[in-house]
Amino acid sequence: MSNSPLIPHLNSHDAQEPVLPPLTEATIQRAKEGVAYARDRHANEMIRQALLSAEAFAEGGSEHRVSGDLRRNVLRALIHTLFQVKVEFSERIPAQPVLIAANHLNHIDPFLLLSELPPCPFCHILGDARTLYNQWWKRQFLHFAKGVIPVERIWKEELAVIQAAKTGHKELAELANAIEKYVPTGNSIEIMRRLDRIVQGIFARGESVILFPEGRLGNTEAQLSIPLKRGVAIYALRAGVPILPVALIGTQDLYLRKELTVRFGNPIIFSQSGRPKAQQVQALLDELQAALTDLLPKDYQEPKEPKLLHHFLNHMFW
């Protein structure tokens, strides 16, 4: 029996197979974009440097970055210009390091959170590498602001293309081969342990981490994609930091001046466990799932108003 702690699973290769999207033109196009991002040498170098920087910081080194105040102010100026932002129960945010666990509907979500969270403790984003670095403005901002822990993983759209190519869609064989050649799956034990060391080091230095425990984008407002990934519970248990549940409402479909809500829950507090057992992990996941479900609206209705800049804003953060 190994004495190693449980290794967090944050990608699609978790305890059960992911639910793949239908094979549509949009799915195929997204898979093509994914391969292009995976082959982008400039983006790959920035991802590599971000991971090295996060690792060095977690091990006690220094990191040249802007202040949390400046990062928040820049993002707030951008997001509040484009949208109406409503923040609820911000008094529940602890003044200590926390693991911020939010539902995930759109690639704007980490930037929205950073615009509304206190600047101290400084927050690091643990998120999908290619969607964080897939556009020039994101790359420039994140290079300038720092605080990113990039996770390289295969997308569900890419898995859908691979599956389709194996089951008769010969026209997708070339794309499937490119995915398997260029896209990292990110599910090796070595990578998971490296991420765990980084996260634990950040908590040990008194800073916080943002994580999306669904492990993928949700498809429907106010509905949580379950089961939640075990990593959120394992990281928090090993570090002994509270989990702060956060509901993001309205971000699934963006347009100019739409109301976006950031609703904070009560921190989930528990005893530290350096080697958490499976039942501890599951109990904490169940508590987090219940907390997020309670924070999400029960009768969300998409506003019926003109959707100005709808296409532009949805693709701006994509």
Side-chain angles (χ1 to χ4, degrees), residues 23 28 32 160-166 168-179:
L23 189 68
I28 296 169
K32 289 178 179 178
V161 167
I162 291 172
Q163 180 64 28
K166 292 178 178 177
H169 288 267
K170 295 182 179 179
E171 74 280 7
L172 296 176
E174 184 177 352
L175 176 57
N177 288 336
I179 292 168

Side-chain angles (χ1 to χ4, degrees), residues 29-86:
Q29 180 58 35
R30 183 63 174 160
K32 289 178 179 178
E33 292 172 355
V35 172
Y37 300 148
R39 299 184 66 178
D40 187 321
R41 292 183 180 180
H42 180 58
N44 283 335
E45 178 59 21
M46 294 192 74
I47 291 167
R48 188 183 74 86
Q49 291 293 337
L51 194 56
L52 287 172
S53 177
E55 193 168 38
F57 177 80
E59 292 173 354
S62 61
E63 185 176 52
H64 298 289
R65 67 192 188 194
V66 302
S67 70
D69 276 305
L70 179 56
R71 182 178 67 173
R72 182 178 70 168
N73 290 341
V74 169
L75 283 172
R76 184 171 286 186
L78 170 65
I79 291 174
H80 283 220
T81 298
L82 297 172
F83 308 103
Q84 302 178 68
V85 180
K86 182 180 179 182

Side-chain angles (χ1 to χ4, degrees), residues 10 42-59 62-63 124-129 132-133 142-143 146-153 184 186 188 190-199 202 235:
L10 296 168
H42 180 58
N44 283 335
E45 178 59 21
M46 294 192 74
I47 291 167
R48 188 183 74 86
Q49 291 293 337
L51 194 56
L52 287 172
S53 177
E55 193 168 38
F57 177 80
E59 292 173 354
S62 61
E63 185 176 52
H124 299 253
I125 306 167
L126 181 65
D128 181 78
L132 284 170
Y133 286 91
L142 294 172
H143 177 70
K146 299 293 192 297
V148 177
I149 312 166
V151 179
E152 295 191 283
R153 63 181 181 87
S188 73
E190 179 184 355
I191 290 172
M192 293 295 103
R193 284 178 173 158
R194 186 183 189 188
L195 290 172
D196 182 63
R197 288 195 301 271
I198 291 171
V199 171
I202 287 170
Y235 287 147

Side-chain angles (χ1 to χ4, degrees), residues 39-307:
R39 299 184 66 178
D40 187 321
R41 292 183 180 180
H42 180 58
N44 283 335
E45 178 59 21
M46 294 192 74
I47 291 167
R48 188 183 74 86
Q49 291 293 337
L51 194 56
L52 287 172
S53 177
E55 193 168 38
F57 177 80
E59 292 173 354
S62 61
E63 185 176 52
H64 298 289
R65 67 192 188 194
V66 302
S67 70
D69 276 305
L70 179 56
R71 182 178 67 173
R72 182 178 70 168
N73 290 341
V74 169
L75 283 172
R76 184 171 286 186
L78 170 65
I79 291 174
H80 283 220
T81 298
L82 297 172
F83 308 103
Q84 302 178 68
V85 180
K86 182 180 179 182
V87 179
E88 297 179 351
F89 310 117
S90 59
E91 69 277 4
R92 295 173 174 172
I93 304 172
Q96 67 186 89
V98 292
L99 195 160
I100 297 139
N103 64 309
H104 199 14
L105 292 163
N106 193 296
H107 297 305
I108 194 179
D109 294 343
F111 302 102
L112 175 61
L113 278 169
L114 288 176
S115 74
E116 301 305 327
L117 285 163
C120 185
F122 193 88
C123 287
H124 299 253
I125 306 167
L126 181 65
D128 181 78
R130 285 181 291 162
T131 50
L132 284 170
Y133 286 91
N134 65 352
Q135 297 194 46
W136 69 267
W137 73 267
K138 292 184 190 177
R139 293 196 289 266
Q140 293 304 313
F141 175 79
L142 294 172
H143 177 70
F144 160 77
K146 299 293 192 297
V148 177
I149 312 166
V151 179
E152 295 191 283
R153 63 181 181 87
I154 194 166
W155 295 348
K156 58 186 178 181
E157 292 88 353
E158 293 163 337
L159 290 170
V161 167
I162 291 172
Q163 180 64 28
K166 292 178 178 177
T167 55
H169 288 267
K170 295 182 179 179
E171 74 280 7
L172 296 176
E174 184 177 352
L175 176 57
N177 288 336
I179 292 168
E180 293 182 324
K181 180 177 181 180
Y182 295 109
V183 174
T185 59
N187 64 337
S188 73
I189 295 296
E190 179 184 355
I191 290 172
M192 293 295 103
R193 284 178 173 158
R194 186 183 189 188
L195 290 172
D196 182 63
R197 288 195 301 271
I198 291 171
V199 171
Q200 298 304 320
I202 287 170
F203 286 138
R205 295 198 64 175
E207 299 193 342
S208 297
V209 172
I210 295 170
L211 185 152
F212 298 98
E214 293 166 288
R216 60 188 183 273
L217 288 178
N219 297 318
T220 308
E221 280 282 357
Q223 291 186 16
L224 202 59
S225 298
I226 54 175
L228 303 181
K229 304 302 181 183
R230 297 188 306 157
V232 63
I234 297 171
Y235 287 147
L237 281 164
R238 293 194 64 218
V241 300
I243 295 178
L244 180 66
V246 185
L248 301 177
I249 303 162
T251 65
Q252 200 270 334
D253 189 36
L254 301 176
Y255 53 86
L256 187 64
R257 304 306 296 162
K258 185 180 185 184
E259 182 176 277
L260 309 180
T261 300
V262 182
R263 181 178 293 162
F264 293 98
N266 289 308
I268 302 172
I269 300 171
F270 41 84
S271 299
Q272 183 176 9
S273 177
R275 298 182 186 280
K277 296 180 180 179
Q279 57 265 37
Q280 291 176 289
V281 172
Q282 190 57 54
L284 185 51
L285 285 178
D286 291 344
E287 188 172 356
L288 174 59
Q289 180 180 323
L292 288 170
T293 301
D294 285 345
L295 288 170
L296 290 168
K298 304 300 183 288
D299 55 352
Y300 180 85
Q301 297 292 323
E302 190 68 26
K304 298 184 183 301
E305 56 189 357
K307 297 186 176 183

